[in-house]
Amino acid sequence: MNNNGHLIKSVLKGSIAEEMDITPGDRLISINGTLIEDIFDYQYMVQDEELVLLIRKPDGEEWEIDVEKYYDEDLGIEFDNGLMDDYRSCSNKCIFCFIDQMPPGMRETLYFKDDDARLSFLQGNYVTLTNMSDHDIDRILKYHLSPINVSFQTTNPELRCKMLNNRFAGEALKKVDRLVAGGSGIEINGQIVLCKGVNDKEELHRSLSDLYKYRPNLKSVSVVPVGLSKFREGLYPLEPFEKEDALEVIKEIEYWQNKAFEEYGDHFVHASDEWYMIAELPIPEAAIYDDYGQLENGVGMVRLLLDEFDEALNELKSGAYTDFDPKSFKRKVSTASGRLIYPYICEMAKRLTEVVPGLEIHVNEIINNFFGERITVTGLLTGQDIIAQLKGKDLGDTLFLPQNVLRAGEDYLLDDVHISDIERELNIKVDILKSGGKDFILGLLGLDGSN
């Protein structure tokens, strides 16, 4: 509990807070005599129509402010820390943790491992439950924080302790029982990071069988292959999955998908796109992904991209963009992607140029030398690899990079290379493409999307 209060970053003009002379730099200590633990306490307590705020001014003077307002009316306060509390770091030492596989010398924030259930609700992060106390469970139930995203890995308690390198990791699974008990209505999404020879095969079947019992609270489970960088010296020996392994994983998942569809009308367990690529199988149709609820785990991203592209291409062919003439259009551009999505981007580029013959697209596959060739997702590409592998190539008038190569809300890639650094080194304009299939077409053609 923070007895020093919560630093106020800004106050909305015309708000209740401004009327009460609350200003940036003040600290909120309590509401109605109760100390505020975090943003959930705050949002819950400010709903009342009558409030007593204890505010501490920068000089230490404390003001007790009576507020009368409409129910749910906002005070107009923004805090310095959006969570209003310190982020909880991970207490595990997971054998598959990607942060442990990062090279030294990168930005300090990239090495922070969070394991905070509140971020699960706010940002969709996955948590292991090992940091979660009974008090945390009580607050989740009280405030009905849902959905909660849980990184299960396995339901075998002993194996979970081994995989997370935490002797409490097996016991932590019992917290799910409390979250789903008594018709709580709390929704959970699950994740299993699969490690070859560790939690696959019979262990995967056991885990999915155990997790199925948590339905319908447990809405979905994604199964993703462990990511292995080249920086694994001194870490648990893990091997990459091969084609036969992937086929076996998909077969197991399909068993549970069929069972879930018969009993609940959804597919419950989802294989990340990478499994189909390793297995050399086509990406399933959209219906298998239900509501695309596991998209952030790489589940259904390719299918959604292709379907959005098909729809946008049909719009283009039907003449929906009245000011655009595909026959007279001329442009040479380039784009770049990781190995995993590269064949699909090539196919999209080919089909687009068939409709717009004057458009020349150079699609460049970037090998991830920074993290190692086993890392094939576009989101982990670095600026230095892009620069090194595109230097001297004919890139046309613009290089288009997908938005997921950038750190959230920034113009920097993972290795602190800025977009302007790429422009300077390659002597070309760089534009960022949003992730959708329609965005691919509109970006390359320079259309604004208004029909």
Side-chain angles (χ1 to χ4, degrees), residues 62-350:
E62 293 189 350
W63 292 8
E64 195 171 85
I65 302 173
D66 294 314
V67 175
E68 291 187 7
K69 65 180 189 62
Y70 293 112
Y71 182 76
D72 272 353
E73 186 180 3
D74 188 54
L75 295 179
I77 294 173
E78 182 181 346
F79 294 94
D80 185 58
N81 180 335
L83 186 60
M84 297 178 67
D85 193 18
D86 293 334
Y87 296 148
R88 296 178 190 169
S89 62
C90 184
S91 57
N92 308 312
K93 184 73 173 174
C94 300
I95 63 174
F96 51 84
C97 180
F98 194 79
I99 293 177
D100 290 339
Q101 304 178 64
M102 293 190 19
M106 300 182 73
R107 183 185 291 196
E108 186 177 345
T109 54
L110 296 177
Y111 299 101
F112 179 76
K113 306 177 189 179
D114 75 74
D115 193 16
D116 197 319
R118 298 167 298 181
L119 293 181
S120 178
F121 173 73
L122 289 172
Q123 301 175 7
N125 299 19
Y126 277 76
V127 295
T128 66
L129 306 176
T130 57
N131 261 352
M132 194 180 290
S133 66
D134 289 338
H135 172 65
D136 294 325
I137 299 288
D138 291 339
R139 297 180 77 240
I140 288 171
L141 296 172
K142 175 183 178 181
Y143 298 141
H144 199 81
L145 303 181
S146 181
I148 297 295
N149 298 328
V150 178
S151 214
F152 287 103
Q153 318 324 346
T154 177
T155 58
N156 179 337
E158 294 78 16
L159 180 58
R160 195 167 195 259
C161 290
K162 174 185 174 181
M163 292 189 70
L164 274 60
N165 271 311
N166 186 326
R167 62 192 177 95
F168 302 109
E171 190 74 13
L173 288 170
K174 294 180 181 178
K175 293 166 186 173
V176 180
D177 296 324
R178 281 201 62 200
L179 288 174
V180 304
S184 69
I186 300 294
E187 283 191 355
I188 302 172
N189 293 307
Q191 176 195 66
I192 293 175
V193 177
L194 212 61
C195 300
K196 186 173 179 177
V198 181
N199 61 336
D200 56 349
K201 301 183 184 297
E202 294 84 4
E203 289 293 347
L204 177 60
H205 183 80
R206 169 183 171 158
S207 294
L208 294 178
S209 179
D210 289 342
L211 293 176
Y212 196 79
K213 298 169 187 174
Y214 289 126
R215 304 226 68 199
N217 293 74
L218 183 55
K219 189 176 179 183
S220 67
V221 176
S222 61
V223 181
V224 303
V226 61
L228 301 175
S229 85
K230 66 183 181 182
F231 300 100
R232 289 198 56 83
E233 186 176 349
L235 300 180
Y236 188 94
L238 292 174
E239 299 177 7
F241 288 97
E242 307 295 343
K243 179 178 178 179
E244 291 304 314
D245 304 316
L247 289 168
E248 188 174 347
V249 170
I250 291 170
K251 183 178 179 181
E252 177 70 33
I253 288 172
E254 287 178 342
Y255 166 80
W256 292 103
Q257 287 179 332
N258 293 334
K259 179 178 174 63
F261 193 74
E262 287 180 12
E263 297 179 9
Y264 291 95
D266 61 22
H267 295 87
F268 180 52
V269 186
H270 302 278
S272 65
D273 296 351
E274 194 171 351
W275 291 114
Y276 298 101
M277 299 173 192
I278 297 171
E280 299 176 13
L281 291 176
I283 298 293
E285 294 303 310
I288 208 76
Y289 297 109
D290 299 328
D291 60 356
Y292 285 104
Q294 292 274 2
L295 204 60
E296 292 301 314
N297 273 329
V299 173
M301 292 183 73
V302 174
R303 171 49 56 204
L304 186 61
L305 175 72
L306 296 177
D307 287 356
E308 288 177 347
F309 175 83
D310 284 344
E311 183 179 347
L313 191 65
N314 287 333
E315 287 180 356
L316 186 68
K317 289 192 285 189
S318 69
Y321 299 95
T322 52
D323 294 334
F324 178 77
D325 180 8
K327 291 190 173 70
S328 63
F329 185 83
K330 292 280 186 187
R331 192 181 193 188
K332 183 198 290 187
V333 297
S334 56
T335 186
S337 76
R339 178 180 292 172
L340 201 63
I341 197 73
Y342 174 73
Y344 303 96
I345 301 297
C346 288
E347 179 63 22
M348 289 162 57
K350 177 176 177 292

